[in-house]
């Protein structure tokens, strides 16, 4: 999680392609207009509670659960302990004796990518129909990947809901545009309450109970956000929250998914009320892609596994599947010599490079840990252009692109291109 990425990697701002530049052109021009409008008097920015004091970040709690979330740049021992406890629950669920060989682990990481999340959704559904999709022991998600992750975690029985999310989505189910003055003096250019309503429609009490059951059986669902006050990535333990029985568990999980997809400037941050030593504070969380567009686990967390490998001791066999909801190369374009075009192209390039670096980081980590690596990404053979954000025809075509390749048996890459 130590690979900072750009802030433009969530739904609403396409990650790559000509259409993505057009969307960013609108964003930049609104920002320029906002700079002028900011000179106008008479409006106040939204109020918020006091931020968590410096040095107290890791002590802040939302629901009072000791394992509700982790701060990987501050320490990894608590996350490591959670993983070990999860594996122990898994052994008990499977009825394995203490001296039985460790079961093979199946890991899945789903990246950000806005509308491109339709690719990963199609791939997962096609994989189910192909008949070889495993039950994942660990699922992680960021941004649009955070919206996919709970369905992937719960397995093929949730494919109809996953398909609906990415083939029936429209702009009205994601955002409400604000006028310029409201955007300038508020906290974002758009209101994302429709997205929260969309999340809530699918993530209901039954789905929360299913997530809790999977967690209690020994599997993990982790979602990444960015604590903007602290400038820290946060890994939320969604399964532990779901199984807590806390009256605010469902709302909290919904808000975590909303926060992970809250691109700064485009969408409002998600505010979390927290306590530190009994005192109330408030945190501001945005898109997890501000730090990483995808993650599996902190590279420093598996020292024990690497030590065992060096000593010739047995470790659990594992395979890591990484779904990159985007291309791994930048599309060529003849650039105009203008400020807007140059800025748009620079942002597009930063997003592409950040996503590629995340893939390289995960590849190197799994290779050092003796874990099989499998990668899927959008190839250059998909050439349909996005005419406007959340265009249904585009998303359905991309869903089908991923679905058909997985249905035939996806040709997973065993290492990133050029690696």
């Amino acid at each position: 999680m130590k690979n900072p990425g750009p802030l433009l990697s969530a739904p609403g701002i396409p990650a790559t392609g000509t259409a993505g530049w057009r969307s960013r052109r609108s964003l930049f021009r609104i920002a320029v207009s906002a700079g002028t409008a900011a000179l106008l008097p008479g409006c106040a920015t939204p109020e918020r509670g006091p931020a968590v004091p410096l040095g107290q970040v890791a002590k802040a709690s939302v629901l009072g659960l000791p394992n509700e979330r982790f701060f990987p740049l501050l320490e990894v021992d608590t996350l490591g302990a959670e993983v070990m406890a999860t594996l122990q629950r898994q052994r008990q669920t499977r009825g394995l004796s203490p001296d039985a060989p460790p079961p093979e682990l199946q890991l899945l990481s789903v990246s950000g990518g806005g509308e491109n999340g339709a690719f990963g959704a199609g791939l997962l559904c096609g994989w189910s129909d192909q008949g070889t999709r495993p039950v994942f022991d660990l699922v992680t998600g960021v941004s649009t990947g955070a919206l996919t992750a709970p369905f992937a975690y719960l397995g093929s029985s949730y494919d109809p809901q996953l398909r609906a999310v990415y083939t029936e989505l429209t702009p009205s189910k994601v955002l409400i545009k604000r006028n310029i003055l409201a955007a300038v003096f508020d906290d974002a250019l758009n209101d994302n309450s429709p997205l929260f309503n969309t999340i809530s429609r699918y993530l209901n009490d039954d789905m929360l109970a299913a997530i809790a059951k999977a967690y209690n059986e020994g599997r993990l669902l982790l979602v990444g956000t960015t604590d903007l006050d602290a400038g820290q990535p946060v890994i939320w333990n969604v399964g532990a929250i779901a199984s807590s029985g806390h009256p605010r568990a469902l709302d909290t999980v919904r808000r975590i998914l909303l926060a992970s997809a809250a691109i700064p400037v485009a969408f409002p941050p998600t505010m979390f009320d927290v306590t530190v030593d009994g005192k109330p504070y408030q945190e501001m969380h945005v898109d997890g892609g501000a730090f990483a567009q995808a993650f599996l686990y902190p590279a420093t967390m598996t020292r024990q596994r690497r030590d065992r490998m060096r000593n010739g001791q047995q470790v659990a066999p594992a395979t890591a599947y990484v779904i990159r909801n985007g291309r791994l190369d930048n599309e060529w374009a003849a650039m105009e010599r203008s400020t807007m075009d140059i800025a748009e192209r620079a942002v597009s390039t930063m997003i592409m490079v950040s996503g590629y670096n995340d893939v390289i980081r995960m590849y190197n980590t799994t290779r050092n840990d003796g874990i099989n690596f499998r990668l899927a990404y959008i190839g250059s053979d998909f050439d349909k252009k996005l005419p406007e954000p959340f265009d249904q025809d585009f998303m359905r075509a991309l869903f089908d692109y991923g679905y058909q390749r997985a249905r035939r048996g996806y040709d997973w890459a065993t290492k990133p291109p050029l690696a």
Side-chain angles (χ1 to χ4, degrees), residues 15-351:
T16 58
T18 304
W21 302 341
R22 285 198 293 269
S23 296
R24 279 186 287 275
R25 179 181 293 113
S26 299
L27 181 61
F28 279 116
R29 295 192 181 191
I30 290 173
V32 171
S33 300
T36 302
L39 300 176
L40 301 176
C43 296
T45 56
E47 294 183 359
R48 60 158 298 178
V52 177
L54 181 67
Q56 302 294 305
V57 173
K59 296 174 62 177
S61 177
V62 178
L63 300 181
L65 308 176
N67 60 342
E68 66 189 16
R69 59 185 185 169
F70 312 99
F71 296 85
L73 295 190
L74 299 178
E75 57 88 25
V76 297
D77 290 344
T78 54
L79 178 54
E82 178 68 12
V83 170
M84 296 306 295
T86 301
L87 292 176
Q88 182 59 34
R89 290 197 305 276
Q90 185 182 95
R91 295 181 71 92
Q92 292 173 351
T93 298
R94 298 183 181 185
L96 299 177
S97 63
D99 57 348
E104 183 173 356
L105 301 176
Q106 306 292 336
L107 319 178
L108 174 67
S109 171
V110 190
S111 84
E115 295 90 338
N116 287 341
F119 166 72
L123 188 156
L124 287 164
C125 291
W127 197 359
S128 295
D129 289 349
Q130 195 266 342
T132 60
R133 176 175 156 186
V135 174
F136 296 108
D137 303 288
L138 167 68
V139 177
T140 69
V142 172
S143 195
T144 193
L147 305 181
T148 299
F151 302 105
Y153 177 72
L154 293 177
S156 301
S157 63
Y158 276 79
D159 283 357
Q161 294 93 319
L162 178 60
R163 178 190 292 267
V165 168
Y166 283 96
T167 60
E168 299 177 9
L169 200 67
T170 61
S172 65
K173 295 179 181 178
V174 178
L175 58 88
I176 300 172
K177 293 183 179 180
R178 293 171 172 169
N179 62 55
I180 286 294
L181 288 180
V184 171
F185 295 107
D186 211 315
D187 54 4
L189 302 175
N190 304 291
D191 177 354
N192 62 352
S193 58
L195 179 59
F196 182 78
N197 293 336
T198 298
I199 292 170
S200 300
R201 186 161 56 252
Y202 290 100
L203 184 54
N204 53 24
D205 288 318
D206 289 342
M207 189 172 183
L208 190 77
I211 292 172
K213 181 175 183 292
Y215 173 78
N216 291 330
E217 291 174 350
R219 300 195 287 123
L220 283 176
L221 171 60
L222 305 177
V223 168
T225 67
T226 299
D227 182 339
L228 207 55
D229 293 314
Q232 292 280 339
V234 180
I235 297 176
W236 296 83
N237 193 359
V238 175
I241 295 171
S243 69
S244 68
H246 196 285
R248 289 192 287 117
L250 180 59
D251 180 68
T252 299
V253 173
R254 289 169 171 171
R255 290 165 60 78
I256 290 167
L257 301 187
L258 185 70
S260 188
I263 174 175
V265 179
F267 295 127
T270 300
M271 308 303 295
F272 288 92
D273 293 326
V274 301
T275 58
V276 178
D277 297 330
K279 296 180 180 179
Y281 297 96
Q282 196 172 60
E283 295 177 347
M284 180 182 291
H285 285 248
V286 298
D287 182 7
F291 267 88
Q293 294 180 32
F295 72 98
L296 274 168
Y297 53 85
T300 55
M301 199 184 78
T302 51
R303 291 187 296 267
Q304 184 180 23
R305 180 183 177 93
R306 291 192 290 272
D307 288 343
R308 291 180 63 87
M309 289 170 57
R310 281 192 292 269
N311 294 330
Q313 296 175 290
Q314 188 178 43
V315 296
T319 299
Y321 296 92
V322 176
I323 298 177
R324 166 63 184 161
N325 285 313
R327 293 176 54 159
L328 289 179
D329 63 324
N330 218 358
E331 295 181 79
W332 183 92
M335 300 302 303
E336 295 182 15
R337 192 170 178 178
S338 72
T339 300
M340 286 296 174
D341 285 341
I342 292 169
E344 292 157 15
R345 183 62 168 177
V347 170
S348 173
T349 301
M350 284 192 297
I351 292 172

